[in-house]
Amino acid sequence: MGHEYVPLTSNSPQGFEQDKSIRATASREKVLLIIVLLQAVALVASVFILVTRVSSPDPGRPLLYSPAQVALEPQIKTFTEGLKQKTIYQGISDDVDRAWGELYNHTILKIPKSEAALLPNKTYPIKDEPGYYIIELDVFHQLHFLNKIRQALHKEHYVDDFGEEHTSHCIDSIRQYIMCNVDISVIVWQWNAQQSFVIPRFTQPHMCQNFDKLLGWARERRMHNYIDLQLFVEDDLPTPPVIY
């Protein structure tokens, strides 16, 4: 006599238990699947954050260290045209020369070893002041260059101690400086009723740094003693990675 297979129904005790077991197994599989998916998402997010931090440094942290970064203070300043209203930096006079000199004179600085060790390149130790090192901020160097170019335009009044080649070097250095420190302030164009013409307006506000505060910081650290630049000084300052 043959036996016909009859599947258990959910109404029977055995069928109910089997169905319950199947549902429990399926539920555990769903939970495990969700856990695996969450772990995968967390892993991808961690990798993304790591890559972002490496490729996009913290905006609040400079790529290169400078001891003067503590003296930076953003401010909005409106530029002047220097056409109808001249500034103290235009023209030829003792007052003009004095004004230019005050922008960058006495800005060869000294910093302690703790700050010098953070620079991207090794700098020179001061023999008579152990633990201090000599630096100069590039902004003052560029202002010195610009003043020399101004003087080169008035050879009848100033002694040309730079020469054409050095003046060309100054111009290209300032070009690089401007391109490095890009100013994205907007110059607007407006209708001029007197000229019946649309003209650019250069007297616009710019996002700047407080130059006077930076200059004050620099002068507090200025060097007062003569440095013999032909003297080699033994030094144990750690050599940082040199950046060219």
Side-chain angles (χ1 to χ4, degrees), residues 139-156:
V139 59
F140 303 125
H141 194 201
Q142 299 300 328
L143 285 170
H144 165 68
F145 278 171
L146 188 58
N147 189 30
K148 285 299 182 180
I149 295 172
R150 178 187 71 88
Q151 294 177 359
L153 296 175
H154 305 283
K155 294 182 179 181
E156 74 285 353

Side-chain angles (χ1 to χ4, degrees), residues 148-203:
K148 285 299 182 180
I149 295 172
R150 178 187 71 88
Q151 294 177 359
L153 296 175
H154 305 283
K155 294 182 179 181
E156 74 285 353
H157 186 81
Y158 297 100
V159 176
D160 185 6
D161 56 354
F162 261 33
E164 184 176 344
E165 184 176 357
H166 203 160
T167 301
S168 176
H169 155 69
C170 293
I171 293 174
D172 199 59
S173 180
I174 294 174
R175 173 194 64 80
Q176 294 177 74
Y177 186 82
I178 293 174
M179 293 175 68
C180 176
N181 299 276
V182 293
D183 186 352
I184 57 174
S185 304
V186 177
I187 297 175
V188 298
W189 291 64
Q190 297 177 342
W191 175 259
N192 186 294
Q194 294 179 340
Q195 300 182 27
S196 296
F197 204 78
V198 176
I199 60 174
R201 179 176 175 179
F202 298 108
T203 54

Side-chain angles (χ1 to χ4, degrees), residues 14-27:
Q14 276 187 290
F16 178 78
E17 291 299 327
Q18 185 178 12
D19 187 51
K20 181 179 179 181
S21 176
I22 292 173
R23 287 199 302 270
T25 301
S27 178

Side-chain angles (χ1 to χ4, degrees), residues 16-18 47 56 79-80 83 90 104 108 114 123 167 176 182 185 194-195 205 216-217 223 232-233:
F16 178 78
E17 291 299 327
Q18 185 178 12
V47 172
S56 303
F79 283 14
T80 57
L83 296 174
Q90 294 176 268
Y104 60 82
I108 303 298
S114 59
T123 192
T167 301
Q176 294 177 74
V182 293
S185 304
Q194 294 179 340
Q195 300 182 27
W217 178 92
M223 292 187 54
F232 173 76
V233 180

